[in-house]
Amino acid sequence: MSQPVTFAICGCGARGLEAYAPYQERHPDEMKVVAGADIRPERLAMLRERYGVPPERCFASGAELLAQPRLADVMIVATQDRQHVSDALAALDKGYHVLLEKPISPNLEECRALQKKAHETGKVVVVCHVLRYTRFYSVLEELLRQGEIGKLETIDAIEHVAYWHQAHSFVRGNWRNDLETSPMILQKSCHDMDILRWLAGEPCLKVQSFGALDYFTAENAPDGAALRCLDGCKCKDDCPYDAEKIYITDPRTGVHGGGKGWPCGVLVSDPTEEKLREALRTGPYGRCVFHCDNNVVDHQTVNLEFASHIHATFTMTAFTQSCHRTIKVTGTLGEIEGDMAENTLHLRRFGRPERIIDLREEGGQYSGHGGGDFGLISSFCKLIADGGSRGLTDVDASVESHVMALAAEASRLVGGKTITLADF
Ligand SMILES: NC(=O)c1ccc[n+]([C@@H]2O[C@H](COP(=O)([O-])OP(=O)(O)OC[C@H]3O[C@@H](n4cnc5c(N)ncnc54)[C@H](O)[C@@H]3O)[C@@H](O)[C@H]2O)c1
């Protein structure tokens, strides 16, 4: 590539600044961040310090940035769920290509309005379904397309959210309440709907779903639970959801384990124990998980039917030790089983020895989401530099999986009724 693709970032939060922009540090010939906006001054300071964006190109809101003439080739829209469509429509009107964080919107009309605008302007709109850009799912998809297991018949996928991740994001944090953001099946699992659609290789016809917010409710608060973990809670010792464990002492997630980035970095910038304790005493992340204003489900299952008798099941559950995904696909001539945490696929063609495909040995060096974050931005830079028009996860593909997720939610809300997508 001769010139790097230039980017303006609308919403310099965890995703905007930390998921894709670091790619520039390794590949300055492919990507350059030249402008950005955020309502939090400390995030703009990070934008200036980390990426050398001059102060006159750092704006105090997306609206201010979008009021300027076009400043870059691409706008990354990484604001919160319900801001995405208005920011992306304005960016398209200004002539930007758009890299849009998921979900597009919890409102299907808005998703379709963006799709229409993308077609009208002829600009690229890629939605950040990062899983498709991992070695794990792309090798699996390739095996299916090559017919390694014959005709695909079933897919069973599980999203293991992890108890601490659920508590952080979906009980105490940003995505706890679907009236402010999106229902869980869209917010967290639109990626999974997208992967199921991609692996099936054909449209989804029907969905049906069950699920509930069963555990993180006031009725389940144990005797002696305080409203805040640091306010003399008598249940702390036995509670895995204790905020002090998650953000301070747990070596995997807390600052004692060196955790400076996500999730501690969501509470305070440059996390230290002292700063985190203050945030836990006063902010949302120190609240008892049984005493929050959350309403999104803690587990949900979906049954899906695809066009040529391919059937799939999907389970999302909060109640797992670690945060990863597993999948099993079966076909007329074999099966494949995979665990994204191990990054291996087990290919078993009937009557033949098992082949273990160890993707860690195939040069995988991972950014977030099993390498998907950098996989996506790398592919996106190439697409724009080459003047391409269709990304792997462009808005058309993404709207399809949004329809699946929103139909699943509609089904769940009426007790599991089967919904035909053509009528939805
Ligand atoms: N692709 C993925 O796998 C993935 C993973 C996590 C989150 N997400 C999505 O990314 C989006 C952002 O999530 P996040 O974790 O970065 O959240 P975040 O809260 O860290 O970032 C959002 C940023 O937008 C800023 N903002 C708010 N209003 C603004 C405005 N008017 N103008 C400019 N900036 C404004 C906030 O100050 C914040 O810094 C969400 O929609 C989320 O669903 C995607």
Side-chain angles (χ1 to χ4, degrees), residues 11-16 20 37-40 43 61-62 78-81 83-84 101-103 128 130 174-175 187 191 369:
C12 299
R15 297 299 297 173
Y20 312 113
D38 204 290
I39 54 172
R40 294 187 289 166
R43 301 303 292 187
S61 72
T79 42
Q80 277 303 347
D81 301 8
Q83 298 167 285
H84 289 171
E101 263 308 352
K102 60 79 193 161
C128 297
V130 289
N174 283 341
W175 297 281
Q187 161 49 228
H191 285 321
H369 291 104

Side-chain angles (χ1 to χ4, degrees), residues 70-386:
R70 184 167 69 85
L71 298 174
D73 303 315
V74 176
M75 181 160 293
I76 296 181
V77 175
T79 42
Q80 277 303 347
D81 301 8
R82 288 179 188 257
Q83 298 167 285
H84 289 171
V85 169
S86 56
D87 290 338
L89 289 174
L92 287 173
D93 277 334
K94 282 277 160 168
Y96 288 97
H97 299 294
V98 172
L99 184 64
L100 176 61
E101 263 308 352
K102 60 79 193 161
I104 302 173
S105 163
N107 175 324
L108 200 49
E109 293 308 311
E110 282 198 349
C111 296
R112 295 211 189 283
L114 182 68
Q115 190 177 16
K116 185 163 173 274
K117 175 72 81 175
H119 288 288
E120 281 167 8
T121 57
K123 292 289 166 189
V124 174
V125 178
V126 163
V127 181
C128 297
H129 292 296
V130 289
L131 296 183
R132 282 206 204 189
Y133 300 86
T134 60
R135 294 279 297 145
F136 182 80
Y137 286 107
S138 54
V139 169
L140 176 56
E141 197 266 349
E142 214 172 287
L143 292 169
L144 296 180
R145 291 293 85 81
Q146 287 165 349
E148 289 284 347
I149 62 166
K151 178 190 172 285
L152 176 63
E153 297 290 359
T154 65
I155 312 176
D156 295 294
I158 303 179
E159 177 168 26
H160 308 241
V161 176
Y163 69 97
W164 52 269
H165 181 15
Q166 181 83 20
H168 170 74
S169 295
F170 305 103
V171 179
R172 297 179 167 120
N174 283 341
W175 297 281
R176 67 192 181 278
N177 194 305
D178 66 358
L179 300 175
E180 289 176 24
T181 53
S182 318
M184 187 78 172
I185 192 71
L186 182 69
Q187 161 49 228
K188 184 85 178 93
S189 310
C190 65
H191 285 321
D192 303 272
M193 296 300 114
D194 177 67
I195 285 293
L196 292 175
R197 164 67 183 86
W198 190 46
L199 295 181
E202 53 185 40
C204 179
L205 303 183
K206 292 179 187 172
V207 301
Q208 185 230 8
S209 178
F210 295 105
L213 169 60
D214 188 49
Y215 189 55
F216 301 105
T217 62
E219 304 85 74
N220 288 318
D223 287 343
L227 294 183
R228 287 186 168 275
C229 302
L230 292 185
D231 283 354
C233 177
K234 296 197 169 46
C235 311
K236 262 176 97 60
D237 287 351
D238 293 329
C239 180
Y241 304 99
D242 169 28
E244 190 174 2
K245 289 192 190 81
I246 293 177
Y247 298 107
I248 301 199
T249 57
D250 190 310
R252 291 168 309 164
T253 57
V255 74
H256 283 183
K260 292 276 182 198
W262 185 85
C264 293
V266 173
L267 279 62
V268 291
S269 47
D270 289 326
T272 59
E273 180 166 346
E274 197 189 349
K275 283 200 215 173
L276 285 167
R277 283 193 182 280
E278 180 54 25
L280 297 188
R281 269 190 289 273
T282 55
Y285 293 93
R287 294 179 294 174
C288 169
V289 287
F290 302 107
H291 292 296
C292 289
D293 54 344
N294 56 312
N295 73 352
V296 301
V297 299
D298 49 37
H299 68 277
Q300 184 163 357
T301 62
V302 187
N303 287 321
L304 306 100
E305 180 167 78
F306 292 88
S308 55
H309 296 136
I310 297 171
H311 291 100
T313 67
F314 169 72
T315 300
M316 156 274 142
T317 173
F319 307 106
T320 62
Q321 173 78 6
S322 59
C323 177
H324 65 125
R325 287 174 165 91
T326 51
I327 192 159
K328 177 160 183 171
V329 296
T330 71
T332 50
L333 299 175
E335 62 180 35
I336 307 171
E337 212 164 347
D339 181 333
M340 211 181 155
E342 290 172 4
N343 225 353
T344 50
L345 292 167
H346 295 250
L347 169 62
R348 302 178 195 112
R349 277 170 293 198
F350 302 146
R352 299 202 211 165
E354 173 178 272
R355 186 177 143 211
I356 299 176
I357 303 168
D358 186 343
L359 299 163
R360 290 164 305 177
E361 290 171 3
E362 295 186 8
Q365 225 344 287
Y366 308 118
S367 59
H369 291 104
D373 288 353
F374 276 11
L376 179 144
I377 191 73
S378 158
S379 147
F380 184 81
C381 287
K382 187 164 178 353
L383 179 77
I384 300 298
D386 293 349

Side-chain angles (χ1 to χ4, degrees), residues 6-9 24 32-36 51 53-54 57-58 71-73:
T6 55
F7 287 78
I9 305 177
Q24 161 178 335
K32 186 166 172 56
V33 178
V34 297
Y51 301 106
V53 175
R57 290 193 168 216
C58 296
L71 298 174
D73 303 315

